[in-house]
Amino acid sequence: MNKKLQRFVGLIHTVRHLKLKQIYYRIYYRFRNLSVIEPSQPVQFKWKWTGPLLSKQSLFSHNKVKFLNQDGLVNSINDWNCSNKAKLWLYNLHYFDDLSSCEGPEREALQSMFIAKWIEENPPCAGNGWEPYPTSLRLVNWVKWCSLQHDVSSSILKSMLQQGLILNQQLEYHILGNHLFANAKALTFVGTYLKGDESERLLDKGIQLINSELREQFLADGAHFELSPMYHEILLWDLLELIDLAYTSQNKILLECLSYWKEIAQAALSWLSSMIHPDGEVSFFNDSAIGIAMKPEQIFSYASKLGIEFDTCTDYLITHKDSGYSRVSFLSYSLIFDHANVGPDYLPGHAHADTLSFEMSIGEQRVFVNSGTSLYGVSEERLRQRKTPAHNTISVDSYDSSQVWSGFRVAKRAYAKLEKAICDNNEVIISASHNGYLQQKPKVKHTRTLSCDSDSVLIVDSMSKPIESCFHLHLHPDVHLKKTNDKSVEVFLADHILCTLSSSEAITIMDSTYHPEFGKSIPNKKIQIPFSNGNLKTQINLISESM
């Protein structure tokens, strides 16, 4: 199949899962023109934001900025939409997260200058800054910052209302998910902060969207439905800030929502607590990286400040059947297993082809890791990071478990099934399968069974027929390998042995890269174990001195 035809077939298998609403708004937004609304001059309600300000510093002088570990300059009007910068970097330029940073008050004059510069150099509806997602994040940051100022210029207040009114014309119904929730949050913040009929309409719309999207986006086990631990953190933080906004503003409409919002937050906090490693950071399933969302400890601390209590489970086995993740915890190690689907069928943009992958820490050290996410956009590297070989699971021939393509697309996708999850006499057995390869040319079903006890993990991979397959297993860059024979290796942290790994087939050690943050690519090692007989057994044995 040639590339053009392959792309067309992939497009068909992608589009057929979309909601009619998404298709309608994609067409509608392509042809409609935004109305540049000239708002009335608003005034603000007198309340002060008391929530934590924990973003990283990103403004360093009148023209120096830094986002996603990359420096930049804003010297002219063109730099707000610089063609040499990645789209995500430019989005961050327009977010104004520096206004919500720890030492932000020390840069109040610089921040005020950047706000005025943005208003002057970004006319309504022109450029990246007026797209709905950066508009949403910027408005929340501006509201929090303005609430803490002794005086706010009328130009800033008027710009905020104008941005809110224009945002309301382009709510991201064509994308849905976390984007639409961010839109709703922004409307709610603006509508709670500014007085007037226009602001009240924005508030009503924001609250209506928030409540409907909470019902849609958070699963019964507490997970955000896009199944990315990073986006779960982002949405949970958004929800905590909305709860805080209700308390801070004492807005009657928001206060009426508090009980429901806190109920959702409790379940979401519990889920997050089961998806982090002992080092305190999230696991890397789907689009996930460190440094974009708030740290888990910051989220838990914020929840505590808001009086939200949640359950943390210390059982050997935790299984989230709605979202499709299980956690195994013993004294010496912890393991997180992905038996999830790619996310909601109509919104798989942040999905990776990582079905039946796992991550494992020994003590507080991450050892076996998925490769992470260092960039967005459309590139070969972005696609490589989403494909099956970048994860701790099985690829078949040259196929991925789900047909990820472009930057945020998935055609045919794997559907996983949890076959077994039992804990008996301090032994855990989890088994799951997926049909991703059954839908493609290999026509084979992959089943993975993990048998875990206090000092070992046995991984059994079974294919429904003999076929050329490969187990990919990525090592954290802090650990290194020593091959003891063709079928076994020792895993070290410095000169301290953590575990041995042995397999029923020959092991190959390769160079690879690990991406714990956006803009970072760190050399690491990767194990590959090819097999063709349809069955592979891989044993991880912890060494007693590491326990």
Side-chain angles (χ1 to χ4, degrees):
M1 187 183 296
N2 64 49
K3 286 188 176 181
K4 286 186 177 180
L5 180 58
Q6 187 176 18
R7 185 179 179 84
F8 177 75
V9 172
L11 182 63
I12 294 298
H13 284 291
T14 303
V15 171
R16 73 185 184 89
H17 293 285
L18 295 179
K19 289 189 172 186
L20 288 176
K21 174 188 284 189
Q22 291 174 289
I23 297 171
Y24 169 81
Y25 276 99
R26 284 178 187 274
I27 297 170
Y28 173 68
Y29 285 158
R30 181 177 292 272
F31 294 104
R32 69 89 174 82
N33 293 317
L34 291 172
S35 299
V36 179
I37 301 169
E38 188 65 29
S40 58
Q41 181 60 56
V43 296
Q44 70 267 43
F45 286 100
K46 295 295 184 179
W47 51 261
K48 290 189 175 183
W49 180 252
T50 59
L53 302 173
L54 300 174
S55 297
K56 294 179 182 178
Q57 179 180 355
S58 52
L59 304 182
F60 292 90
S61 74
H62 74 283
N63 67 342
K64 291 183 180 180
V65 297
K66 185 175 183 178
F67 307 106
L68 307 177
N69 297 306
Q70 297 179 10
D71 295 324
L73 296 173
V74 184
N75 287 320
S76 72
I77 188 171
N78 295 324
D79 290 328
W80 294 101
N81 299 286
C82 179
S83 60
N84 294 326
K85 292 293 186 181
K87 184 80 166 180
L88 185 60
W89 193 94
L90 291 171
Y91 267 24
N92 275 266
L93 174 61
H94 291 273
Y95 291 166
F96 277 77
D97 282 342
D98 192 85
L99 303 187
S100 296
S101 60
C102 307
E103 303 85 15
E106 300 172 8
R107 297 187 296 280
E108 185 178 304
L110 176 62
Q111 292 169 339
S112 181
M113 182 275 292
F114 255 91
I115 292 174
K117 183 179 177 70
W118 188 93
I119 294 172
E120 180 181 354
E121 297 183 351
N122 291 272
C125 307
N128 292 286
W130 285 90
E131 292 182 27
Y133 192 72
T135 298
S136 298
L137 272 62
R138 179 177 60 253
L139 280 173
V140 172
N141 286 322
W142 282 25
V143 167
K144 289 188 286 188
W145 185 85
C146 287
S147 76
L148 297 172
Q149 307 307 307
H150 180 68
D151 289 305
V152 180
S153 71
S154 59
S155 63
I156 294 177
L157 296 178
K158 191 171 183 177
S159 175
M160 286 169 57
L161 181 55
Q162 184 177 53
Q163 291 175 56
L165 293 171
I166 292 175
L167 171 62
N168 198 36
Q169 296 180 57
Q170 51 177 343
L171 298 172
E172 293 177 272
Y173 293 118
H174 59 304
I175 297 176
L176 300 176
N178 72 84
H179 278 242
L180 186 58
F181 196 88
N183 302 160
K185 179 187 177 185
L187 296 183
T188 302
F189 263 74
V190 171
T192 305
Y193 180 62
L194 299 178
K195 296 180 181 180
D197 292 341
E198 294 162 313
S199 300
E200 286 183 11
R201 288 194 294 273
L202 296 182
L203 176 59
D204 289 343
K205 184 63 175 180
I207 294 295
Q208 176 260 315
L209 278 175
I210 285 168
N211 289 329
S212 64
E213 290 306 306
L214 285 175
R215 288 189 292 271
E216 172 75 5
Q217 294 192 36
F218 282 88
L219 305 177
D221 61 18
H224 182 253
F225 75 158
E226 291 186 62
L227 304 182
S228 152
M230 180 182 79
Y231 279 95
H232 180 91
E233 290 178 302
I234 292 171
L235 270 290
L236 177 52
W237 187 265
D238 285 342
L239 180 56
L240 294 179
E241 288 200 323
L242 287 164
I243 292 169
D244 201 346
L245 180 65
Y247 285 129
T248 300
S249 68
Q250 286 296 295
N251 182 283
K252 182 179 178 181
I253 300 174
L254 272 65
L255 290 172
E256 291 173 350
C257 300
L258 265 180
S259 177
Y260 176 55
W261 291 356
K262 292 176 72 172
E263 180 184 338
I264 299 292
Q266 286 177 320
L269 289 160
S270 293
W271 189 88
L272 176 61
S273 71
S274 71
M275 294 296 291
I276 60 177
H277 283 275
D279 64 7
E281 281 289 1
V282 291
S283 47
F284 293 164
F285 297 100
N286 296 313
D287 275 342
S288 286
I290 295 167
I292 298 297
M294 297 301 168
K295 294 177 178 293
E297 64 179 351
Q298 295 171 326
I299 295 172
F300 298 141
S301 176
Y302 194 11
S304 178
K305 178 192 173 215
L306 295 171
I308 303 173
E309 298 179 354
F310 61 96
D311 295 327
T312 55
C313 183
T314 57
D315 293 344
Y316 291 116
L317 173 64
I318 303 170
T319 296
H320 298 299
K321 293 183 179 179
D322 298 289
S323 54
Y325 292 95
S326 289
R327 181 188 186 92
V328 178
S329 300
F330 285 97
L331 184 62
S332 54
Y333 74 90
S334 59
L335 179 152
I336 305 172
F337 180 41
D338 173 4
H339 46 86
N341 297 327
V342 300
D345 272 334
Y346 65 86
L347 188 60
H350 293 295
H352 289 203
D354 61 359
T355 309
L356 304 191
S357 66
F358 73 94
E359 295 196 333
M360 181 176 175
S361 287
I362 297 177
E364 294 189 358
Q365 176 62 51
R366 296 192 193 210
V367 179
F368 301 109
V369 294
N370 289 314
S371 292
T373 304
S374 68
L375 75 171
Y376 281 169
V378 180
S379 68
E380 287 299 316
E381 177 59 15
R382 163 65 174 163
L383 183 59
R384 187 193 70 81
Q385 292 178 17
R386 298 179 71 207
K387 292 171 77 68
T388 297
H391 305 87
N392 298 330
T393 187
I394 304 293
S395 66
V396 175
D397 284 344
S398 58
Y399 293 86
D400 299 294
S401 57
S402 293
Q403 293 178 327
V404 292
W405 64 284
S406 189
F408 301 93
R409 303 285 183 261
V410 184
K412 292 181 180 179
R413 65 280 312 263
Y415 293 94
K417 179 182 178 182
L418 180 64
E419 308 280 358
K420 182 190 300 183
I422 58 174
C423 181
D424 187 29
N425 294 325
N426 299 341
E427 293 184 355
V428 173
I429 299 176
I430 316 172
S431 183
S433 62
H434 77 81
N435 68 350
Y437 298 119
L438 280 171
Q439 301 180 68
Q440 302 178 71
K441 189 176 179 180
K443 302 299 180 186
V444 62
K445 175 183 175 183
H446 174 207
T447 301
R448 168 167 281 184
T449 301
L450 304 179
S451 299
C452 312
D453 59 29
S454 61
D455 57 7
S456 69
V457 178
L458 173 63
I459 306 163
V460 178
D461 289 297
S462 302
M463 317 309 289
S464 57
K465 66 179 181 182
I467 193 167
E468 292 293 333
S469 308
C470 186
F471 181 14
H472 307 268
L473 191 59
H474 299 257
L475 281 295
H476 189 277
D478 288 347
V479 304
H480 63 276
L481 300 172
K482 178 182 178 183
K483 203 166 185 180
T484 54
N485 59 54
D486 285 347
K487 296 182 179 181
S488 66
V489 297
E490 295 175 333
V491 182
F492 289 84
L493 178 64
D495 59 354
H496 175 66
I497 187 168
L498 295 174
C499 65
T500 63
L501 182 144
S502 58
S503 185
S504 58
E505 301 291 337
I507 293 172
T508 302
I509 300 173
M510 303 179 65
D511 292 330
S512 188
T513 51
Y514 177 62
H515 315 101
E517 299 182 29
F518 275 79
K520 281 192 176 182
S521 183
I522 303 172
N524 72 332
K525 294 297 181 181
K526 170 186 177 179
I527 291 171
Q528 286 194 170
I529 311 175
F531 63 104
S532 58
N533 63 2
N535 289 282
L536 179 71
K537 291 184 178 181
T538 307
Q539 178 92 25
I540 301 169
N541 289 318
L542 276 71
I543 304 303
S544 58
E545 63 181 273
S546 70
M547 297 166 60

